[in-house]
Amino acid sequence: MPKEQAQQPATEKSKEVKIIAKQVFTLSDIEKNPRALKLLYVINNVGSISEKALQYLLYYMRESGVDFKYAFTTIGGVPSSRELLNEILSLKYVGLIESLPNRKIVLTGLGKEFLASHLNALSEEEKNLLNKALEDVKPKIVPIDAEVDIKLKRQSRR
């Protein structure tokens, strides 16, 4: 057979992959979540707080009568809530809070604007109740936050 046979071009079948980016959480999801608004209010009033201290804070607030409805598990006297950590992650995702280099979380500029514009969703009674509980529980949280700072300093020395 001659080498000049007509070869048919090989037709390759390919599948086209479409990547669609979709946000998991949006600001409108946070607007509809009163628990997230209360959490933003607490973080704003505390200033900066570590995630560990925030878990203790909400756990102690629950004991003093202000319940955010997070399910806490205590292991060795240390309260932990997966729901709370997921809520914090969602607030970071939409840019309302951020982690500082010292591992403390604070409201961003967007978070402060968001909270100011949605503060009317919280009644004055809720705000007063949250403020009173914060005053009562905050002294218990200061040593926990200091412990996080000390551990961070130890790690940075190594």
Side-chain angles (χ1 to χ4, degrees), residues 80-100:
S80 178
S81 171
R82 184 174 299 265
E83 294 173 336
L84 175 59
L85 292 175
N86 288 338
E87 194 97 75
I88 292 169
L89 187 63
S90 68
L91 292 173
K92 285 180 184 178
Y93 182 81
V94 295
L96 297 178
I97 62 174
E98 65 181 348
S99 291
L100 297 176

Side-chain angles (χ1 to χ4, degrees), residues 46 48-54 56-57 60 104 134-154:
V46 171
S48 68
I49 187 169
S50 66
E51 289 182 18
K52 180 179 181 179
L54 183 61
Y56 273 95
L57 177 73
Y60 290 145
K104 294 192 178 188
L134 277 172
E135 285 179 26
D136 294 343
V137 175
K138 203 171 181 179
K140 295 179 183 179
I141 303 306
V142 173
I144 297 166
D145 244 354
E147 176 189 345
V148 171
D149 286 338
I150 291 168
K151 283 183 179 179
L152 184 63
K153 287 178 183 175
R154 282 184 194 161

